[in-house]
Amino acid sequence: MLQLNIIRDNKDEIIRRLTKKNFKVEIIDQVISIDADRRKTQAELDAIKAEGNIISKQVGELMKAGKKAEADDLKNKSIALKESEKSLQNSLNKFEEETYQLLVLIPNLANDQVPAGKTPEENKIVFTHGEIPTLPANAKPHWELASQYDLIDFELGNKITGAGFPVYKGKMARLQRALINFFLDRATAAGYLEIQPPILINKDSGFGTGQLPDKEGQMYHCGVDDLYLIPTAEVPITNIYRDVILKAEDFPVMNCGYTPCFRREAGSYGSDVRGLNRLHQFDKVELVQLAHPSKSYDVLEQMREYVAGLLKDLELPFRTLLLCGGDMSFASAMTYDMEVFSAAQKKWLEVSSVSNFESFQANRLKLRFREGTEKPQLAHTLNGSALALPRICAALLENNQTPDGIRIPQVLRSYTGFDIIN
RNA sequence: GGAGAAAUGGCAGAGUGGUCGAUCGCGGUAGUCUUGAAAACUAUUGACUGUAAUAGGUCCGGGGGUUCGAAUCCCUCUUUCUCCGCCA
């Protein structure tokens, strides 16, 4: 959520940067106009309250002095004030509600480095690494390899739960556990504090990171207790810092966490959801950083390079995209997507998304920091996947298939305890 | 799940209807003293909103109510603690 006073004071720049995100900017004028009404009403209400406060104080003094009749006069005056107070309060509430309803519709501003564009085709490829493997003509997609080596049972998951909840078995289960440990060890070595958060969250947390109220349908909801299954560890980890005032010297705050993630993914279909490409439950290690506003773009680059390092070590060909304005998420100011090439499907699969939210989330979270004795100001939040497992597994299976089995990258062997799946 | 107690500023802890946004202490900040530091002493020290700047308004776990006036009374929710029960 953008800060109202910034919209008020920098209208032209706000409009310019929102246009890049293909946002209809008429809302900005509406917000500013309703806010003006709101502040006028607030001033009137405050004046009446001030008067009421003075009267109450005088009543107290008169009562103490035993002047009951005079006190009663003032009481009546105060009761009369209550009427106008009530009606002003009602219109104030109305203005506040209207302002809020508009504010939550406004996406974050795109950073100036973000390329213009509306569709994924207009994303900018900023980096590519690794050779695209040339597989033999009879190379198999990962779902066939999974069944050939008895690694993943999609039917069984269907029986236990439903589509999109696969069952991993034997060496595949072990490979996933190895990946989780590898990712966590690397993150910890890079300075991230490992967090094991709850995977059910309440409404306040969903609101803090922006899943609620708009994207309610994308989360699984436990009705009896009114809790949501997390779509990503970003939600519980970032919410650790809701309503917190940090000290400037606390930066950078670096957290990482492994969690299962749950996504309803309503409306998805076709070859995009085949095999491991898109699931309702999957595992992910997530990075969250809180940064000083002057440093957050350095942190973004640092996180991007960190994720690239993981992919290099996993020996996977990948590319980094700088998302164009139209393809970025609602809350992001700048996002890099990392995609690995899955050689049998001949597809680029997104395995990580690294974003700087600037103060957009922090404003909702009331996540602030204090510089010396100055007033608190909003911190910047960033996060990135490092990494999401299923698509990494898809690429590992497909790219490393040989007639003798599936080769495990060197860096994982101490974690898996085997070097080939056969 | 049952019974009882509690929730106040960074921490600790007063305050049971009228100058209480809140005593005192610790911590923090600034100053005095000192070559410097410590100690001591003095002052200062919450957030939100709002104004050109003052002023003003709101906040004592959350929400609602009573009252001219509530941290203080009432209702309700949440959380924590103690005891009992159950349990990995």
Side-chain angles (χ1 to χ4, degrees):
Chain A
M1 198 159 67
L2 294 179
Q3 293 174 86
L4 197 46
N5 56 344
I6 291 181
I7 296 179
R8 205 191 290 148
D9 298 341
N10 307 281
K11 185 180 158 191
D12 293 341
E13 195 201 334
I14 300 274
I15 287 179
R16 182 177 64 78
R17 291 174 64 184
L18 281 176
T19 307
K20 198 186 244 176
K21 268 201 159 178
N22 303 315
F23 180 74
K24 296 191 293 296
V25 293
E26 302 86 79
I27 284 189
I28 298 298
D29 281 326
Q30 284 181 54
V31 167
I32 290 176
S33 136
I34 293 172
D35 178 54
D37 291 342
R38 197 211 91 228
R39 281 188 298 160
K40 186 160 158 276
T41 310
Q42 177 86 64
E44 289 169 24
L45 178 62
D46 285 354
I48 285 181
K49 280 184 171 175
E51 200 179 338
N53 287 343
I54 290 167
I55 290 176
S56 291
K57 212 167 266 182
Q58 287 170 342
V59 170
E61 281 158 16
L62 289 171
M63 297 290 273
K64 219 182 270 177
K67 298 176 182 165
K68 190 164 181 311
E70 291 175 46
D72 283 346
D73 274 357
L74 277 180
K75 277 191 197 178
N76 292 333
K77 205 170 152 193
S78 176
I79 291 168
L81 273 181
K82 287 278 157 192
E83 287 308 309
S84 34
E85 185 179 327
K86 196 177 267 179
S87 90
L88 278 171
Q89 185 68 57
N90 285 340
S91 30
L92 182 66
N93 291 347
K94 196 187 81 185
F95 287 137
E96 281 180 348
E97 177 63 20
E98 285 174 11
T99 310
Y100 170 79
Q101 290 303 340
L102 292 176
L103 271 182
V104 296
L105 297 177
I106 302 173
N108 200 2
L109 308 175
N111 183 275
D112 282 338
Q113 301 171 63
V114 169
K118 295 189 169 135
T119 65
E121 286 69 42
E122 293 169 87
N123 294 336
K124 194 170 140 198
I125 299 170
V126 293
F127 186 77
T128 57
H129 176 271
E131 294 294 314
I132 304 292
T134 42
L135 298 178
N138 62 348
K140 295 173 178 169
H142 67 271
W143 50 88
E144 286 180 21
L145 294 164
S147 104
Q148 176 184 340
Y149 296 108
D150 195 21
L151 298 174
I152 307 172
D153 198 324
F154 292 97
E155 291 304 313
L156 199 50
N158 213 346
K159 168 185 169 186
I160 299 170
T161 308
F165 294 89
V167 176
Y168 307 96
K169 303 202 293 196
K171 284 188 170 175
M172 190 66 210
R174 178 71 182 233
L175 174 62
Q176 295 225 70
R177 184 152 57 90
L179 282 165
I180 293 164
N181 283 331
F182 170 66
F183 292 146
L184 284 174
D185 284 353
R186 289 290 295 265
T188 320
Y192 290 90
L193 175 70
E194 184 177 343
I195 304 282
Q196 212 172 34
I199 60 176
L200 287 168
I201 51 137
N202 59 29
K203 280 203 153 73
D204 285 343
S205 294
F207 178 81
T209 33
Q211 280 72 27
L212 296 175
D214 291 341
K215 301 181 189 97
E216 175 151 28
Q218 294 177 21
M219 288 190 292
Y220 287 95
H221 182 228
C222 303
V224 196
D225 296 296
D226 199 16
L227 298 172
Y228 297 86
L229 283 158
I230 57 169
T232 157
E234 167 202 341
V235 178
I237 293 180
T238 310
N239 270 283
I240 292 173
Y241 304 97
R242 171 151 49 88
D243 289 318
V244 167
I245 301 179
L246 299 161
K247 298 191 190 78
E249 54 266 33
D250 293 335
F251 292 129
V253 173
M254 304 170 76
N255 289 171
C256 67
Y258 153 72
T259 65
C261 301
F262 301 89
R263 298 192 182 174
R264 295 188 64 229
E265 306 283 11
S268 300
Y269 60 91
S271 72
D272 283 350
V273 306
R274 191 86 195 265
L276 295 175
N277 289 354
R278 186 172 300 232
L279 301 170
H280 287 311
Q281 175 180 339
F282 63 97
D283 291 302
K284 181 160 64 67
V285 172
E286 182 79 2
L287 308 177
V288 172
Q289 285 212 45
L290 314 180
H292 190 283
S294 68
K295 290 280 189 323
S296 65
Y297 280 91
D298 294 341
V299 170
L300 181 67
E301 294 305 314
Q302 171 216 321
M303 290 174 77
R304 177 176 70 78
E305 276 165 32
Y306 171 82
V307 175
L310 293 178
L311 293 170
K312 283 178 192 167
D313 286 349
L314 289 172
E315 302 165 35
L316 292 170
F318 70 92
R319 64 183 189 183
T320 303
L321 308 176
L322 175 57
L323 296 194
C324 71
D327 201 31
M328 275 162 63
S329 75
F330 185 78
S332 175
M334 181 155 145
T335 297
Y336 289 111
D337 271 7
M338 320 286 276
E339 298 181 335
V340 299
F341 193 76
S342 206
Q345 298 183 76
K346 296 191 171 58
K347 262 188 180 171
W348 290 99
L349 301 178
E350 180 193 332
V351 291
S352 177
S353 187
V354 184
S355 300
N356 186 357
F357 301 99
E358 296 188 3
S359 60
F360 194 82
Q361 283 184 331
N363 188 34
R364 285 193 171 205
L365 291 161
K366 294 193 172 58
L367 161 54
R368 292 167 294 170
F369 72 99
R370 195 194 305 271
E371 196 118 55
T373 55
E374 287 174 22
K375 292 207 81 175
Q377 56 174 309
L378 294 174
H380 281 192
T381 63
L382 301 99
N383 68 45
S385 359
L387 290 156
L389 267 68
R391 294 174 188 165
I392 291 287
C393 290
L396 285 177
L397 295 182
E398 293 184 13
N399 297 13
N400 297 336
Q401 58 183 302
T402 71
D404 303 324
I406 294 155
R407 194 184 59 82
I408 301 294
Q410 192 64 44
V411 74
L412 289 177
R413 292 183 186 174
S414 64
Y415 290 95
T416 54
F418 52 82
D419 54 17
I420 195 156
I421 295 174
N422 50 19

